[in-house]
Structures are given as C-alpha cells and as structure tokens.
Amino acid sequence: MMLTIIDLTLLFFLVVIAIAVVRIKDLFAATMLLGIYSLLSASIFVTLDAVDVAFTEASVGAGISTILALSTLSLTARIEKGHPGPTWIPILVCAVTGLTLIYATFDMPWFGDPDAPIHQHVAPHYLEASAEEIDIPNVVTSVLASYRGFDTFGETVVVFTALVAVLLLLGGRKGEDNESNQNKDEGGAS
Amino acid sequence: MFIAAILAILVVMGLALARALLGPTEYDRILAVNMFGTQTTLFICVIGYLTDRPAFTDIALVYALVNFVGTIAVLRYYEYSEPNQDPIED
C-alpha cells in the first residue's frame, strides 16, 4: 500500500517534468529538468528492485547526458525557436508508436510471474551449476563476470568512455585555450 | 517512522521540483537539481530500511558522489562558457 503511494507520487512528478520539458523554451532549464527526470527514474527503478539499472540511469542520465547537453548548449543558442509547419504529424507518429508499444506489452508475462520465460530458460542452470562451473560462491558475480562476460565488457567500455568524456570536459586550461583560439579563427573566417 | 520519513522526503522532492520549474534564475534550477539529488540519496536509504534491505545504503553513497560530480560539471560549464554567450545569442 505504502509502496503504491510512493510509486504513484514519483510517476506523477515524472509526468509533470515531462510536460514541463516539452513546454519550456529555455533549453538550460530543460536540461536541468531532464537531470531531475533521470534521478526520478532511478528512484522508480530502485522501488522496482532494479538497483543496477537505477545506477546506470543516474550516472548516464543525470551525469553524462547533462554534461553533453550543456556542452552542446555552449555551442548553440539557449532559447528554443518556434516549430515551423504543422504539429499534428509528429503527434500522430508518437501516438501510433505508443499505441503499438502498449499493444506489444499485452503479450508479455505479468510482473513477478514465476512462470515467465526469463525464470525458466537459463536461470535454473545458473543457480545449480554456478558453484561447479565457475567456482564462485556468489551467483550474481558468476553471472556478471563469466556467463555474461561480453555484456559486462561492453558496459565497462561505456563507463570508461564516460570517464574520458568527463576528464576532457573538466580538464585543464590547455584544452580551453585551444578551443577559444579555434572560435576566434572561425569568427575571422566568417 | 520510516513511512513518515519517506512521506517527508516526497514532499521536499515536490518543493525542489517546484523550484526547478518556476526558478527565475539559472542558479535556482542548479540548486534544485542538486537538492533533488540529495533527496534521491535519502529516498534510496529510507526505502532500503522500509523494505528491510539496508544494503541500499551503499548505493545511496555512490549517488551522493555522482550528484557532487554532476553539480561541479554544471558549474564549470558556467564558469567557462559565460563570456562566450553574448555573441552566440545574438
């Protein structure tokens, strides 16, 4: 009961932010609101017991995406211009796509269903054979580091790329000087 | 007790959200995002104890670190890009 109230409140905040991001013209404010949106999504993932997804959402959504959006904003204008042309075509495309996705969820198993394919396919094998095959007592660790090794490798590459991007953005004055020189050169050419 | 705490956190989340939506200056919005990150950290801690999973506290600590780095990055953006803004906006 309590968790239902918490979920509903968080989802309500999420809808409010989504509408505000669409309506607002100041792109810096929209970026900040998207950061809050991502933190809220992370909270919802935590209430759904998907802690790892929540952490990815918080670091990528609130961390890296915000920085990327801000560095884009520093190269372009801060105020959004009006939309040319009719707006009903994008609305129609969004509505059709959304309805298709909702229709697709009817075939999915219910949340927490023990007979769902994900609990029947390889999970029992992992639970039974992990100790003999991998020799690690923690099943989560053996799935993460061995059974899904390539997947984890890809995630690590993403985290490394994010680290490099943060270091480039927060790096010393040297890169900043080069950038301003380039801006001057472009200004002279135009 | 945890229920009261989490309700209070949700109310403060709403207040920070209102500041981010209304905030007249950029700094109001930056502060609102920072505040919201702190609320998320607290929220994860409290919901861990509410659902008998105190190990969530470790995750909340990492959230606090991400929040700190994010705020620093936003403020750095302001420090470096403020002088370049006028010719771009024209």
Side-chain angles (χ1 to χ4, degrees):
Chain A
M1 176 61 197
M2 192 61 220
L3 288 176
T4 313
I5 295 176
I6 294 169
D7 279 345
L8 285 178
T9 315
L10 292 177
L11 287 170
F12 171 72
F13 286 163
L14 216 55
V15 171
V16 168
I17 294 178
I19 293 173
V21 166
V22 173
R23 303 287 303 174
I24 211 161
K25 292 289 180 192
D26 184 355
L27 292 178
F28 179 82
T31 311
M32 293 291 102
L33 286 174
L34 281 176
I36 296 182
Y37 185 92
S38 159
L39 286 169
L40 264 176
S41 318
S43 304
I44 293 174
F45 287 139
V46 168
T47 62
L48 290 172
D49 271 351
V51 184
D52 51 341
V53 182
F55 185 66
T56 312
E57 173 65 39
S59 55
V60 173
I64 304 303
S65 300
T66 308
I67 296 171
L68 283 179
L70 284 178
S71 49
T72 310
L73 272 186
S74 68
L75 297 175
T76 58
R78 261 200 52 185
I79 306 296
E80 184 184 354
K81 287 177 184 156
H83 301 285
T87 54
W88 60 270
I89 298 177
I91 290 176
L92 189 71
V93 170
C94 287
V96 169
T97 313
L99 286 175
T100 313
L101 288 174
I102 290 172
Y103 174 71
T105 60
F106 291 152
D107 281 344
M108 289 171 67
W110 285 102
F111 177 68
D113 184 5
D115 294 329
I118 191 171
H119 299 306
Q120 299 291 327
H121 179 45
V122 287
H125 174 77
Y126 288 166
L127 290 175
E128 285 166 13
S130 164
E132 299 160 18
E133 289 180 2
I134 316 290
D135 208 12
I136 296 174
N138 190 332
V139 181
V140 175
T141 308
S142 67
V143 169
L144 188 75
S146 182
Y147 290 118
R148 293 187 195 162
F150 284 114
D151 187 36
T152 309
F153 178 65
E155 288 172 9
T156 315
V157 170
V158 169
V159 173
F160 176 74
T161 315
L163 176 72
V164 170
V166 169
L167 286 180
L168 283 176
L169 285 169
L170 300 181
R173 290 269 171 186
K174 205 175 171 185
E176 188 64 25
D177 287 345
N178 288 341
E179 232 172 61
S180 58
N181 285 340
Q182 279 175 2
N183 285 347
K184 276 176 200 164
D185 290 344
E186 285 167 7
S190 64
Chain B
M1 189 179 74
F2 290 127
I3 291 178
I6 211 155
L7 287 178
I9 288 171
L10 286 176
V11 169
V12 179
M13 270 184 172
L15 292 176
L17 185 58
R19 184 45 64 198
L21 291 173
L22 302 173
T25 70
E26 289 83 5
Y27 299 103
D28 286 322
R29 298 187 203 273
I30 294 174
L31 202 59
V33 174
N34 191 13
M35 179 80 185
F36 211 92
T38 313
Q39 295 308 317
T40 311
T41 313
L42 291 173
F43 176 83
I44 293 170
C45 282
V46 176
I47 206 151
Y49 282 100
L50 192 69
T51 54
D52 283 333
R53 305 180 82 184
F56 281 9
T57 315
D58 296 346
I59 305 155
L61 277 178
V62 185
Y63 271 72
L65 290 175
V66 168
N67 191 27
F68 174 71
V69 173
T71 310
I72 295 284
V74 171
L75 292 175
R76 273 291 175 101
Y77 156 78
Y78 250 87
E79 185 186 6
Y80 286 143
S81 67
E82 199 68 36
N84 290 337
Q85 285 225 329
D86 293 335
I88 292 168
E89 278 188 1
D90 290 341

